[in-house]
Amino acid sequence: MLRLAVSRLTTRLPAHVLAAQRWYKVGPNAARLGMVIDHNGNPQIVVAKDHGGTGRGQAVIKLTFKNAITGAKSQDRFRANDSLEVMLMVQKEYQFLYTDSGKVHLMDMTSFEELSMDLDTFEGDKDRLALLEDGMAITVQTLEPEPGPISWRLPARHVFKVKSVESRISKDKGATYLPAVLENNARVMVPDFIKPGESITVDLEKAEYVGRA
């Protein structure tokens, strides 16, 4: 049976610090990219997830990890009924500035210091990066005392201004959703009553229209 072995941390983080950071458990199917878990006594960032393959008649989920301290990558396989222990991070809000050369640049709005993080430390589906917008509030997760900032994510919802909406061709009755381009050039589907220049709220996890702002 595949299982997580929780042991004393042998790298830089003291065991008492690691223990204090444990938060909740999820199944492998619920593991998200960018999530940090305690695996074999080490803080590991989930960087890839594959549902392929079975093990003795049961579906197997293969996770690729990046050690939050050493950067070393590894893989392990889990069954659906296994559990992963998600580590509690210290969360701090930053402001998005820009992306460049595979990095995201953020501003600490308290100290006004700039923080640069790799794009692959983004927590969530990579296609959601298209929703980034100047000034957007970004949550950075930090594992203290080391190794510091290790992942970042978008807010649950954000208000965007609509730049253009594709013209409606059919005359079907009822609500119709049309492709719209936002001011940051991201695309979402909006109801046909939404006009260019309006502000709308978008669910960033689903990349879906929520309502007028």
Side-chain angles (χ1 to χ4, degrees), residues 16-92:
H16 71 277
V17 173
L18 178 63
Q21 297 294 337
R22 296 188 184 124
W23 188 16
Y24 63 94
K25 293 183 178 181
V26 298
N29 281 317
R32 302 193 309 272
L33 300 184
M35 184 175 282
V36 182
I37 68 168
D38 173 11
H39 182 49
N40 294 333
N42 289 278
Q44 302 279 0
I45 306 169
V46 179
V47 295
K49 181 177 177 180
D50 183 9
H51 290 273
T54 59
R56 297 182 180 179
Q58 295 187 28
V60 172
I61 300 94
K62 183 174 69 175
L63 299 179
T64 301
F65 301 115
K66 178 181 178 181
N67 189 296
I69 297 174
T70 66
K73 289 188 176 182
S74 62
Q75 290 184 338
D76 209 342
R77 290 176 170 81
F78 303 90
R79 293 174 183 169
N81 59 353
D82 287 335
S83 63
L84 306 174
E85 192 164 65
V86 180
M87 301 185 71
L88 177 60
M89 302 289 104
V90 176
Q91 301 184 5
K92 187 172 183 179

Side-chain angles (χ1 to χ4, degrees), residues 179-195:
V181 178
L182 308 178
E183 284 291 329
N184 64 344
N185 292 320
R187 294 175 177 271
V188 296
M189 301 296 291
V190 300
D192 57 5
F193 55 77
I194 295 296
K195 306 300 181 185

Side-chain angles (χ1 to χ4, degrees), residues 131 133-137 155-160 200-204:
L131 293 166
E133 183 175 59
D134 291 348
M136 178 181 284
R157 293 182 175 183
H158 186 72
V159 174
F160 296 90
I200 62 171
T201 300
V202 176
D203 181 316
L204 299 190

